[in-house]
């Protein structure tokens, strides 16, 4: 499969200084280390990167620094916004700053229907000169779960080349990846959700993960082992997967994933203040749990 959205795709936080400004040096380090470790792509300004909390000038700086730091590794950009006008403007700006692709959840004040989703992606495609787009499926948060039929429609008119789908939902039937592939054969089907990815879900066409930007070497090893299959027997990858699973569960247990990712970044050596939209800090117990897991990181 040829797609801009395959393999291991890392979603870094957007590091902040003490005053709340974007720390571009810290971002450069995160992206550069992820690229050097062998991730297949980097996505900035999506959920892990708290993209909706930055103005246009800040977003432009983030994209340009990430593109420069990533070298030959493609950089994708989350372009969510509160209106189609805002989304298309962000898509156009991302491409001008060097983005290799766009990641778009069908966000709106009210949930969109299928016709409105098709219209949104068509407008983004026109504004971004045909840059490849990934449908960021967030059914719990947005009230819309992309159907195989809708994905097929979006693929047929060229609006979408990939989908980022939750790896684990209570109501998700078995065989979801196969169903989406059958409906839209040319679309890269990717999975998100670090507890499921580290815990044993299938490799699919892509993994989209925030923790891969903070622990890229471990995630690259785990992804490679999962693609190779159990017969490969990589003990190092097994230890990395066990640690990543513990870390993913500790992050999820906080109930404040982006804030927790910022805390993990600090523990792993990347300075950052909490995200701008963090209204409630982590509890002391949550911070201690994260600290304990990070301290158990396997030796490289």
């Amino acid at each position: 499969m040829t797609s801009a959205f395959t393999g291991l795709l890392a979603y870094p936080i957007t590091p902040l200084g003490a005053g709340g400004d974007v720390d571009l040096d810290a971002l450069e380090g995160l992206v550069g280390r992820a690229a050097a470790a062998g991730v297949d792509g980097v996505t900035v300004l999506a959920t892990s990167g708290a993209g909706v909390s930055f103005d246009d000038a800040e977003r432009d700086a983030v994209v340009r620094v990430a593109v420069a730091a990533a070298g030959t590794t493609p950089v994708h950009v989350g372009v969510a916004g509160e209106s189609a006008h805002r989304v298309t403007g962000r898509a156009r700006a991302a491409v001008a700053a060097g983005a290799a692709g766009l990641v778009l959840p069908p966000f709106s004040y009210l949930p969109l229907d299928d016709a409105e989703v098709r219209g949104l992606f068509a407008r983004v495609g026109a504004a971004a000169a045909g840059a490849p787009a990934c449908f960021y499926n967030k059914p719990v948060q947005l009230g819309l779960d992309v159907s195989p039929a809708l994905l097929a429609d979006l693929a047929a008119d060229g609006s979408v080349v990939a989908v980022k789908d939750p790896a684990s939902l209570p109501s998700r039937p078995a065989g979801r990846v196969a169903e989406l592939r059958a409906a839209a054969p040319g679309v890269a089907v990717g999975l998100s959700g670090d507890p499921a990815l580290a815990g044993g879900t299938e490799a699919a066409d892509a993994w989209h993960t925030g923790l891969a930007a903070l622990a890229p070497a471990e995630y690259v090893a785990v992804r490679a082992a999962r693609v190779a299959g159990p017969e490969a027997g990589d003990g190092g990858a097994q230890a990395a997967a066990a640690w990543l699973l513990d870390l993913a569960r500790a992050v999820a247990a906080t109930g404040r994933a982006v804030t927790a990712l910022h805390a993990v970044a600090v523990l792993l050596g990347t300075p950052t203040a909490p995200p701008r939209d963090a209204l409630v800090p982590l509890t002391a117990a949550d911070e201690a749990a994260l600290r304990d897991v990070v301290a158990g990181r396997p030796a490289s």
Side-chain angles (χ1 to χ4, degrees):
M1 174 176 294
T2 300
S3 170
F5 297 94
T6 57
L8 180 64
L9 307 178
Y11 283 59
I13 65 166
T14 305
L16 301 175
D21 293 332
V22 178
D23 186 338
L24 294 174
D25 289 338
L27 175 69
E28 180 182 30
L30 275 179
V31 174
R33 287 189 293 274
V39 303
D40 297 292
V42 172
T43 300
V44 295
L45 299 171
T47 301
S48 297
V52 296
S53 65
F54 300 103
D55 64 29
D56 290 346
E58 291 170 323
R59 289 176 57 86
D60 186 71
V62 166
V63 176
R64 292 182 186 278
V65 166
V67 168
T72 59
T73 302
V75 172
H76 310 133
V77 179
V79 292
E82 66 275 17
S83 67
H85 175 76
R86 180 58 60 88
V87 169
T88 53
R90 288 177 172 174
R92 191 180 297 111
V95 172
L102 308 172
V103 176
L104 174 59
F107 171 78
S108 177
Y109 182 74
L110 296 174
L112 303 177
D113 62 26
D114 284 6
E116 291 168 326
V117 171
R118 286 192 290 267
L120 174 63
F121 276 88
R123 287 179 63 176
V124 168
C134 175
F135 189 113
Y136 185 177
N137 193 35
K138 295 167 67 74
V140 173
Q141 297 87 348
L142 301 183
L144 183 146
D145 193 4
V146 66
S147 67
L150 175 56
L151 186 63
D153 286 347
L154 294 169
D157 68 15
S159 297
V160 162
V161 302
V163 61
K164 176 185 177 185
D165 202 54
S168 177
L169 286 176
S171 60
R172 177 71 82 223
R176 169 74 168 177
V177 171
E179 185 180 28
L180 294 177
R181 282 174 171 162
V187 169
V189 179
L191 299 175
S192 64
D194 284 298
L197 299 183
T201 195
E202 62 190 299
D205 298 313
W207 283 356
H208 301 251
T209 155
L211 283 180
L214 300 177
E218 288 87 353
Y219 242 115
V220 166
V222 171
R223 168 78 185 181
R226 199 71 54 79
V227 171
E231 65 278 0
D234 188 332
Q238 292 175 9
W243 178 72
L244 286 172
L245 179 57
D246 286 344
L247 186 57
R249 286 173 171 168
V251 168
T254 68
R256 298 180 175 87
V258 179
T259 305
L261 289 176
H262 278 243
V264 171
V266 172
L267 292 169
L268 290 173
T270 295
T272 180
R276 287 178 180 175
D277 56 357
L279 301 180
V280 179
L282 298 182
T283 66
D286 286 337
E287 292 179 347
L290 293 173
R291 191 178 305 112
D292 287 345
V293 174
V294 169
R297 187 179 194 178
S300 57

